[in-house]
């Protein structure tokens, strides 16, 4: 994006193609580029974790339309999700840096507001990645509890305290794993991708074969039955069911934050975004069709079954105790993979934002471990934050469930802004290898419109008859967090408005110990004069 503090010609000769691109964006190469294009695509796909994602949020689809919501809601949401991915892919190709969204926003927005917009996007993206880790780990803890219920023939009921203990153990284990070197993490993506693909095909193919006749549904029910158990008007209930595909196929920016660890990033990252969405939409639709044909007709018993998880209940009735337990353990393993990659991606966003001095304790967070060559400090910072978020479980079930929707709404704030600024402000956008040409604007318009609409939808509670205990806390928690971010930006004397100047080049370091040097402002002005979005031709 912004061409700032360019390296000398000698340095350019010594750098590879990706390093030259990164240098043009203002940053030195600090990570090892161990991720191949295939591995970064695998990371994007396994980050999505389509089957464990469906298992985690099936409770949004079944009461808001039943089979119709599962099958056709997914099919309708797919093209809108792809539009978001395409709009993001163009920006990722133009400026492949770990900072991603807040960097693009700064480079494309008007000088009058780019500092503030970059700040808001950076904090939205940071809370999105951190709550993403929290929601996946909480879902994994619940699914482990469901496995225990299946194993004990539904005799054991897990308490909130026990769930939090499982949750904490998962988070800490992920922090240890993600602290490993880049090469290890890159090679693991091959295993992760293979496991996710195999599990999807097992459910699509094996579940219909193994399901007893009494639980098999005909095409009329599986593809045409609309059951509204939530109480909302049917049309709005169907829209609420979009939460399932939008959560299951989320985190379109996952590969973006790995840009500085991927080879041929300007091409690999956009194709990782698009391929992961395409594969997830197709496989997810197949999984939903398989479930709709094999779930029986008593939807209330699925939602309110003793296991406590709709998909686990479906597997239990279709496969029996042993079969369901075996398959459920595989689903838990894939969800563990999703959570691990979520922390990996989140730690890179935190690292990038602290590199530009925007986060508290940036001087401690912006560090690369000398042994692993990875940002271990940001891994554990995110892990501690995730442990704190998990305490919402002791407030109410609705409060912890709000973490699911916070991840989506916060991500939409951080996606909408750079996509909009590209067209709303005068800027010198220069596309990278991936470019949509004349389709760029209509696709961006569809992407932004759909995200704005869904943000408001996700603020609604699950049923119209709700109490203070059962309300949707998304607006409260997200609003409170963003209010703190804005308050800190405008805080007298110490606020970001006094010192945050957007992305800062570190080829000639202008931040030491979290504070700008005295010449940073003049350097910034000179750098901003050359602002553009471009990829170096090499």
């Amino acid at each position: 994006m912004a061409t700032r503090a360019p390296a000398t010609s000698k340095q350019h000769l010594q750098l590879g193609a990706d390093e030259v691109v990164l240098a043009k964006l203002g940053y030195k190469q600090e990570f090892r580029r161990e991720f191949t294009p295939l591995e970064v695509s695998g990371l994007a796909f396994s980050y999505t974790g389509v089957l464990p994602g469906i298992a985690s949020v099936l409770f949004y689809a079944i009461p808001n339309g039943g089979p119709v919501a599962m099958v056709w809601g997914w099919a309708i949401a797919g093209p809108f999700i792809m539009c978001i991915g395409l709009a993001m892919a163009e920006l990722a190709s133009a400026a492949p840096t770990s900072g991603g969204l807040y960097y693009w926003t700064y480079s494309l927005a008007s000088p009058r507001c780019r500092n503030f917009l970059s700040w808001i996007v950076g904090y939205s993206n940071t809370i999105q990645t951190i709550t993403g880790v929290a929601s996946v780990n909480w879902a994994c803890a619940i699914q482990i509890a469901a496995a225990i219920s299946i194993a004990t023939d539904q005799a054991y009921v897990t308490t909130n305290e026990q769930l939090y203990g499982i949750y904490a153990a998962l988070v800490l284990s992920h922090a240890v794993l993600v602290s490993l070197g880049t090469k290890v993490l890159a090679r693991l993506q091959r295993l992760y991708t293979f496991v996710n693909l195999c599990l999807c095909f097992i459910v699509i193919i094996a579940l219909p074969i193994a399901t007893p006749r009494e639980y098999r549904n005909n095409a009329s029910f599986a593809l045409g039955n609309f059951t509204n158990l939530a109480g909302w008007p049917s049309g709005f209930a169907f829209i609420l069911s979009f939460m399932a595909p939008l959560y299951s196929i989320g985190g379109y920016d996952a590969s973006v934050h790995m840009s500085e660890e991927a080879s041929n990033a300007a091409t690999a990252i956009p194709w990782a975004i698009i391929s992961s969405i395409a594969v997830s939409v197709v496989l997810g639709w197949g999984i939903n069709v398989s479930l709709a044909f094999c779930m029986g007709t008593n939807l209330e018993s699925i939602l309110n079954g003793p296991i406590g998880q709709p998909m686990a209940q479906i597997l239990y009735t279709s496969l029996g105790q042993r079969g369901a337990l075996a398959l459920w353990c595989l689903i838990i393993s894939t969800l563990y993979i999703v959570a691990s990659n979520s922390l990996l991606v989140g730690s890179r966003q935190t690292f990038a934002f602290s590199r530009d001095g925007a986060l508290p304790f940036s001087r401690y967070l912006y560090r690369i471990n000398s042994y692993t060559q990875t940002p271990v400090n940001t891994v554990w910072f995110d892990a501690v934050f995730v442990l704190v978020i998990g305490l919402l479980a002791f407030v109410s079930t609705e409060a912890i469930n709000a973490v699911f929707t916070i991840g989506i709404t916060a991500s939409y704030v951080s996606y909408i802004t750079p996509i909009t600024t590209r067209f709303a402000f005068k800027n010198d956008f220069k596309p990278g290898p991936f470019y949509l040409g004349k389709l760029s604007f209509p696709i961006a318009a569809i992407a932004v419109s759909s995200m704005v609409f869904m943000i408001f939808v996700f603020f609604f509670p699950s049923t119209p008859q709700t109490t203070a205990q059962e309300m949707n806390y998304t607006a409260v928690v997200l609003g409170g967090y963003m209010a703190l971010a804005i308050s800190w930006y405008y805080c007298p004397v110490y606020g970001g408005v006094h010192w945050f100047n957007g992305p800062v080049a570190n080829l000639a370091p202008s931040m030491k110990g979290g504070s700008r040097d005295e010449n940073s402002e003049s350097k910034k002005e000179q750098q901003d004069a050359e602002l553009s979005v471009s990829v170096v031709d090499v």
Side-chain angles (χ1 to χ4, degrees):
M1 247 184 207
T3 304
R4 45 184 80 164
T8 65
S9 58
K10 288 183 179 180
Q11 287 174 318
H12 276 219
L13 291 173
Q14 296 172 354
L15 296 175
D18 287 302
E19 288 75 14
V20 172
V21 172
L22 189 60
K24 281 288 185 178
L25 299 177
Y27 297 120
K28 63 184 179 182
Q29 184 68 48
E30 297 179 274
F31 294 102
R32 293 174 178 169
R33 290 187 181 269
E34 299 284 0
F35 280 80
T36 66
L38 183 61
E39 287 165 347
V40 79
S41 294
L43 178 139
F45 173 67
S46 58
Y47 181 93
T48 300
V50 59
L51 179 56
I54 291 172
S56 301
V57 293
L58 196 57
F59 63 86
Y60 282 106
I62 291 178
N64 290 299
V68 165
M70 293 167 62
V71 175
W72 303 116
W74 189 281
I76 291 171
F80 292 101
I81 293 172
M82 181 56 77
C83 285
I84 299 170
L86 288 168
M88 294 272 292
E90 277 197 304
L91 295 173
S93 183
T97 173
S98 295
L101 295 97
Y102 78 86
Y103 187 101
W104 306 336
T105 299
Y106 180 87
S107 300
L108 295 168
S110 165
R112 291 174 298 174
C113 59
R114 62 187 177 197
N115 286 352
F116 175 74
L117 290 178
S118 179
W119 177 278
I120 292 300
V121 170
Y123 271 94
S124 296
N125 202 197
T126 300
I127 195 61
Q128 166 216 336
T129 56
I130 292 176
T131 55
V133 179
S135 64
V136 175
N137 275 288
W138 186 253
C140 193
I142 290 174
Q143 292 187 9
I144 290 172
I148 296 171
S149 178
I150 294 172
T152 59
D153 206 16
Q154 302 155 34
Y156 184 81
V157 179
T158 311
T159 65
N160 262 0
E161 290 77 10
Q162 292 166 332
L163 274 176
Y164 185 82
I166 297 171
Y167 171 86
L170 290 170
V171 173
L172 295 174
S173 67
H174 292 137
V176 172
L177 179 61
V178 175
S179 295
L180 298 176
T182 303
K183 186 173 184 177
V184 176
L185 296 171
R187 300 299 92 84
L188 280 173
Q189 301 311 315
R190 302 179 184 183
L191 173 64
Y192 292 172
T193 304
F194 177 76
V195 171
N196 270 282
L197 284 173
C198 287
L199 190 56
C200 289
F201 285 113
I202 287 173
V203 172
I204 292 172
I205 298 171
L207 186 61
I209 296 173
T211 300
R213 284 185 177 275
E214 59 267 30
Y215 292 110
R216 293 182 189 175
N217 296 323
N218 57 36
S220 176
F221 181 88
L223 303 178
N225 177 267
F226 187 93
T227 301
N228 184 355
L229 302 176
W232 289 106
S234 294
F236 188 71
F238 183 70
I239 292 173
L240 282 176
S241 74
F242 289 175
M243 178 65 185
L246 292 175
Y247 175 81
S248 300
I249 313 176
Y252 322 113
D253 59 324
S255 55
V256 171
H257 299 300
M258 305 306 295
S259 294
E260 296 175 31
E261 296 167 76
S263 58
N264 195 20
T267 300
I269 300 303
W271 283 110
I273 296 171
I274 294 167
S275 63
S276 65
I277 292 175
V279 173
S280 296
V281 167
V282 173
L283 289 179
W285 189 78
I287 291 167
N288 276 288
V289 169
S290 179
L291 291 172
F293 273 96
C294 302
M295 62 195 290
T297 58
N298 191 344
L299 302 187
E300 290 193 49
S301 67
I302 294 173
L303 282 174
N304 303 315
I307 296 176
Q309 275 283 297
M311 187 162 176
Q313 192 68 46
I314 294 171
L315 297 179
Y316 186 83
T317 55
S318 296
L319 305 177
Q321 183 184 33
R322 292 185 178 179
L325 184 60
L327 187 54
W328 196 248
C329 287
L330 288 175
I331 292 175
I332 290 171
S333 69
T334 56
L335 195 56
Y336 185 89
I337 289 170
V338 176
S340 174
N341 277 342
S342 297
L343 183 58
L344 171 62
V345 168
S347 67
R348 274 37 176 188
Q349 159 60 21
T350 304
F351 173 85
F353 209 33
S354 62
R355 175 171 61 188
D356 292 318
L359 290 175
F361 314 112
S362 286
R363 69 178 68 185
Y364 304 109
L365 296 176
Y366 175 43
R367 292 182 182 180
I368 296 289
N369 184 276
S370 59
Y371 180 73
T372 64
Q373 293 298 301
T374 56
V376 173
N377 288 12
T378 58
V379 170
W380 287 92
F381 174 83
D382 284 8
V384 170
F385 208 143
V386 169
L387 291 173
V388 173
I389 291 174
L391 296 174
L392 286 171
F394 297 105
V395 177
S396 72
T397 302
E398 286 71 25
I400 192 64
N401 284 344
V403 175
F404 286 81
T405 50
I406 288 171
I408 294 179
T409 51
S411 68
Y412 282 3
V413 170
S414 59
Y415 298 162
I416 287 169
T417 311
I419 295 172
T420 302
T421 54
R422 176 186 166 187
F423 297 99
F425 296 105
K426 184 178 180 180
N427 53 65
D428 185 22
F429 176 81
K430 295 178 182 176
F434 182 88
Y435 180 49
L436 297 172
K438 293 181 179 180
L439 294 176
S440 293
F441 179 75
I443 286 175
I446 293 170
V448 170
S449 300
S450 61
M451 286 189 285
V452 170
F453 176 73
M454 291 310 298
I455 283 177
F456 289 104
V457 171
F458 291 146
F459 288 153
F460 282 82
S462 56
T463 63
Q465 295 81 30
T466 188
T467 64
Q469 190 76 2
E470 297 171 340
M471 69 172 286
N472 187 334
Y473 284 86
T474 303
V476 176
V477 178
L478 179 61
Y481 173 84
M482 295 310 300
L484 288 174
I486 294 172
S487 298
W488 187 34
Y489 183 79
Y490 286 110
C491 179
V493 183
Y494 302 104
V497 69
H498 301 292
W499 52 263
F500 180 70
N501 295 304
V504 178
N506 65 4
L507 290 174
S510 61
M511 182 181 73
K512 297 182 180 180
S515 60
R516 318 283 177 179
D517 64 34
E518 57 186 8
N519 297 320
S520 64
E521 200 65 39
S522 60
K523 289 179 183 178
K524 189 72 177 177
E525 292 173 1
Q526 183 180 5
Q527 293 160 1
D528 289 346
E530 301 175 347
L531 190 65
S532 65
V533 182
S534 62
V535 171
V536 181
D537 294 325
V538 292

